Amino acid sequence: MINALRGMKDLLFEDAQKYRYITETAAKIASNYGFDYMETPILEETPLFKRSVGESSDIVGKEMYRFSDKGGNDVCMRPEGTAGVVRAFIQAKLDRQQGQKYRFFYFGPMFRYERPQKGRLREFHQFGVESFGEEAIEEDFTLIRMLADIFDTLHIDYTISVNSLGCSACMPKYRESLVQHLHTLSDGLCEDCNRRIASNPIRVLDCKNEKCKEILEDAPRITDSLCEKCSEDFKRLVTLLEKSALKYRIDTDLVRGLDYYSGTAFEFVSENIGAQSAIAGGGRYDRLVEFLDGRPTAGVGFAIGIERIMELVTIPRKGREGIYMGAMIPEAVEELLRLAHEKRRSTRVTVEYKAKSLKAHLKGADRVGARYAVVIGEEEAQEGAVLIRDLEERRDIKIPAEEFATRESFFDD
């Protein structure tokens, strides 16, 4: 038997329904915030992620599904969503539309070759949003507010961590002081941290090694070195969060794992999923469009790890819905197919192709959760009628077959 690859998981039954419920809920809320749906290809050129995510990141260095295609192109399966959206934004020349603002949402599979564990698969799914052209810190707050609305609607508890990563004006000075400090600690830091001191020192603060965390407690923090604009923006963000009554904390160790972030960084954390407690995160990336050869454009976005939250989501209980149709004589099957086709224009219809007894059809209707069972027996076939049973109210009615497709209600209450 051929099984799914390690770290890949089928979505069936309840998992599939949860995935659909989560994405539809998030999409509706994003649309209410003025965001438009978009899709990007799963397969992209590898340099896109080297330049955006950063060659120093674990994603590029260790985790990408990367290969040469038949044309000799260096390609990879997308490990995250933002870079592809920015590439599409530039390719569509939207970066050249001065003064315009564009807001998009998307969802779908991402791929990272890492050790599979609970809430972390090699093929996983994200819901994300990206906003372009809006420099105001109020947009950062709005995205945090949107995320909170999504999780509130899904009935997921969370706390919010926020930080500022500074900008090109204040980061270089901070980077220099951080590197000096890290060199004094290098003997006690792990191998990854020592590698990052030269390539991307701020990522050292994101190390999950408990020994490193302890050593780094006294390391300088970017919030102590922010320029005037970054400082004012961060204070404004905190003020907006306080006035909104959202639960948040300032986490000066929050740096995000991707190289393109600058300015605001935020993360939503749940205490109900074990060690992998981050369920969503994002921030500002005002330099990313320029890094990918576009014109300088402000950007901010977030992504939700769908597998991370699936176990926290309960789908609202639905009553019976739709119609089950069955024949009690073989000659009635073709008529059922015709009527089902017409009724499917307005509702869900399940058809049983084998002729069975009324009792067997009612059991079949129960199995699919149908509200109505519609059957044609010998008597109904002779009369040109259908028998309808309301499976909630336990009542029957017989109506002409030609009325079946057009009637919105079968029973006059």
Side-chain angles (χ1 to χ4, degrees), residues 5 13 29 41 53 56 121 142 172 176 194 213 246 255 323 339-340 343 356 369 389 409:
L5 293 170
F13 303 117
I29 292 172
V53 177
S56 65
L121 299 171
T142 296
E176 182 179 344
N194 276 294
K213 284 183 179 181
L246 289 172
V255 299
I323 297 170
L339 295 175
K343 200 62 179 176
K356 297 181 179 181
R389 173 164 294 186
S409 175

Side-chain angles (χ1 to χ4, degrees), residues 9 84 119 183 208 262 269-270 318 329 336 348 369 385 395 412:
K9 183 180 178 182
H183 278 310
K208 301 301 186 289
S262 61
V269 172
S270 170
K318 289 185 178 180
I329 56 174
L336 277 181
R348 176 188 176 100
R395 52 185 175 170
D412 297 325

Side-chain angles (χ1 to χ4, degrees), residues 227-385:
C227 65
E228 183 176 354
K229 182 181 186 307
C230 288
S231 180
E232 290 301 315
D233 279 346
F234 192 56
K235 289 177 183 176
R236 173 66 172 157
L237 176 64
V238 169
T239 298
L240 292 170
L241 289 169
E242 288 177 348
K243 290 184 176 180
S244 71
L246 289 172
K247 298 177 290 184
Y248 81 96
R249 70 186 185 97
I250 297 174
D251 181 1
T252 56
D253 289 333
L254 176 61
V255 299
R256 307 296 299 147
L258 308 176
D259 286 4
Y260 52 66
Y261 284 110
S262 61
T264 302
F266 55 87
E267 194 168 75
F268 278 60
V269 172
S270 170
E271 301 302 324
N272 299 320
I273 59 172
Q276 301 292 346
S277 58
I279 54 178
R284 183 160 283 276
Y285 48 84
D286 288 345
R287 294 174 290 170
L288 182 55
V289 176
E290 189 175 4
F291 283 171
L292 295 177
D293 301 325
R295 296 184 179 180
T297 306
V300 59
F302 69 71
I304 300 171
I306 296 178
E307 278 80 5
R308 292 279 184 90
I309 65 172
M310 285 180 70
E311 67 179 82
L312 305 178
V313 171
T314 300
I315 301 174
R317 185 184 178 95
K318 289 185 178 180
R320 291 177 173 274
E321 63 176 352
I323 297 170
Y324 170 98
M325 301 184 71
M328 289 188 283
I329 56 174
E331 296 82 1
V333 173
E334 289 187 12
E335 175 69 353
L336 277 181
L337 292 173
R338 183 182 72 83
L339 295 175
H341 174 69
E342 294 178 1
K343 200 62 179 176
R344 281 174 173 144
R345 301 177 195 277
S346 60
T347 193
R348 176 188 176 100
V349 178
T350 302
V351 178
E352 171 56 56
Y353 305 128
K354 292 182 178 180
K356 297 181 179 181
S357 68
L358 176 60
K359 182 178 180 181
H361 282 311
L362 293 178
K363 287 183 178 179
D366 274 335
R367 281 194 295 270
V368 300
R371 171 68 188 270
Y372 301 102
V374 177
V375 296
I376 299 178
E378 186 173 353
E379 182 179 307
E380 288 78 22
Q382 291 174 352
E383 297 174 355

